[in-house]
């Protein structure tokens, strides 16, 4: 009995991994089309819908007691993201948006104060949630608007995906030392290092095929830095989920959890790549 049970355990893990790849596989042609060949409005609509779902998962997880606060948090996040598509060049638009977010939090919080013991977390998420989601994922829109925008977005995605995949397999093969057991007991130092090497390789692939004008060492180093911050973003979301008492942010993608679970690293890899393109790449 025990021997058969131990033999069944690896099969379950492999099945879970296969499910994750099978779920993500149909999205690959769609994402490539949106990045390189679709009209810009198609990419914008897809991005806004994606971020709306991410915001809904975050608000439902963090503010389960108030539907009004959830709706406002989603609306503020989508509205702030829209500025990245349509008004990123005007700082006054962002100042007005931040003021609107604060005023909205003021009115909704005072009109629905119960339960008072949870008022501070609700207000905090109404103010910080849109910045956490739109302020990071919105950089995908900024990257896409640059020259070679599709390639830059792909590099950010590769940094997140290769890091996650590399960390998983390196952790299974070599993992011995826990990375941050308080937040994510399964992650290991060896897995994290393997993820960084995999991210450098993924960034190098994008550089070789799509960004030949970028020095290879720039791309590799960018992949490592972006992946390191992406791993931090993964841990941050794990900490949020633990504090909210949930395992996954949602169930929209079998084997993956929610869209927030799939975006927690991309938030930071995209922002890192955008910083490089905007301030260092010229």
């Amino acid at each position: 009995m025990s021997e058969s049970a131990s033999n069944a355990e690896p099969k379950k893990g492999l099945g879970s991994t296969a499910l994750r790849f099978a779920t993500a596989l149909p999205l690959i042609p769609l994402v490539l089309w949106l990045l390189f060949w679709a009209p810009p409005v198609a990419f914008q609509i897809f991005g806004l819908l994606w971020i709306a779902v991410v915001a809904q998962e975050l608000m439902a997880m963090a503010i389960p007691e108030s539907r009004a606060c959830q709706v406002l948090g989603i609306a503020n996040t989508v509205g702030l993201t829209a500025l990245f598509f349509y008004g990123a060049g005007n700082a006054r638009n962002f100042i007005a948006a931040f003021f609107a977010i604060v005023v909205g939090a003021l009115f909704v919080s005072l009109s629905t104060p119960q339960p008072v013991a949870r008022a501070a977390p609700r207000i905090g998420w109404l103010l910080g949630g849109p910045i956490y989601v739109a302020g990071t994922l919105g950089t995908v829109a900024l990257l896409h608007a640059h020259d070679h925008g599709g390639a830059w977005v792909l590099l950010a995605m590769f940094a997140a995906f290769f890091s996650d995949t590399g960390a998983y397999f390196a952790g299974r093969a070599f993992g011995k030392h826990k990375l941050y057991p308080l937040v994510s007991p399964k992650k290991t130092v060896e897995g994290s290092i393997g993820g960084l090497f995999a991210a450098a390789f993924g960034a190098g692939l994008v550089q070789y095929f799509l960004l030949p004008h970028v020095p290879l060492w720039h791309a590799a180093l960018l992949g490592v830095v972006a992946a390191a911050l992406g791993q931090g973003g993964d841990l941050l979301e794990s900490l949020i989920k633990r504090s909210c008492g949930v395992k996954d942010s949602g169930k929209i993608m079998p084997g993956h959890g929610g869209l927030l679970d799939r975006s927690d690293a991309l938030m930071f890899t995209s922002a890192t790549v955008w910083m490089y393109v905007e301030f260092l790449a010229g």
Side-chain angles (χ1 to χ4, degrees):
M1 291 285 292
S2 60
E3 184 176 347
S4 61
S6 64
N7 290 338
E9 201 170 323
K11 293 181 181 178
K12 183 179 179 182
L14 291 174
S16 174
T17 304
L19 178 62
R20 295 181 69 178
F21 279 103
T23 305
L25 197 61
L27 290 175
I28 294 176
L30 173 62
V31 170
L32 292 176
W33 176 73
L34 289 168
L35 287 178
F36 296 103
W37 300 289
V41 67
F43 178 81
Q44 294 164 6
I45 292 172
F46 180 83
L48 288 174
L49 289 174
W50 184 285
I51 287 178
V53 175
V54 170
Q56 184 276 324
E57 292 177 351
L58 177 64
M59 295 301 166
M61 182 172 62
I63 320 177
E65 73 276 9
S66 175
R67 179 69 65 179
C69 289
Q70 292 178 26
V71 172
L72 179 63
I74 296 167
N76 285 342
T77 304
V78 173
L80 187 58
T81 304
L83 288 182
F84 284 86
F85 286 106
Y86 304 114
N90 193 337
R92 291 180 301 175
N93 293 336
F94 285 97
I95 295 173
F98 291 140
F99 182 66
I101 289 172
V102 174
V103 170
L106 182 154
F107 279 105
V108 170
S109 299
L110 292 179
S111 62
T112 56
Q114 299 290 352
V116 174
R118 285 275 303 162
R122 284 198 304 275
I123 296 169
W125 280 112
L126 285 176
L127 298 176
I131 297 174
Y132 171 54
V133 176
T136 53
L137 283 179
T139 57
V140 175
L142 298 180
L143 272 180
H144 193 253
H146 269 281
D147 293 337
H148 311 285
W152 287 118
V153 174
L154 197 63
L155 193 151
M157 295 174 68
F158 270 35
F161 172 74
F162 273 69
S163 173
D164 183 53
T165 305
Y168 174 77
F169 287 107
R172 282 176 63 97
F174 309 109
K176 293 181 179 179
H177 302 88
K178 298 297 183 182
L179 179 66
Y180 203 157
L182 181 64
V183 173
S184 187
K186 293 183 179 180
K187 287 183 171 59
T188 63
V189 174
E190 293 80 3
S192 175
I193 294 172
L196 297 182
F197 277 104
F201 175 73
L205 287 178
V206 176
Q207 182 274 341
Y208 181 81
F209 289 104
L210 299 174
L211 296 168
H213 60 284
V214 177
L216 177 59
W217 74 270
H218 277 217
L221 182 60
L222 178 59
V224 170
V225 174
L229 289 174
Q231 291 181 10
D234 189 349
L235 290 172
L236 176 63
E237 199 235 348
S238 295
L239 180 60
I240 293 171
K241 289 190 294 185
R242 282 190 174 274
S243 70
C244 296
V246 300
K247 183 179 183 296
D248 296 316
S249 66
K251 299 179 180 178
I252 196 170
M253 297 178 69
H256 293 270
L259 290 191
L260 177 57
D261 295 323
R262 290 300 90 208
S263 305
D264 53 8
L266 179 62
M267 290 174 167
F268 293 87
T269 61
S270 175
T272 304
V273 174
W274 176 80
M275 293 285 285
Y276 170 82
V277 173
E278 190 71 19
F279 297 106
L280 296 178

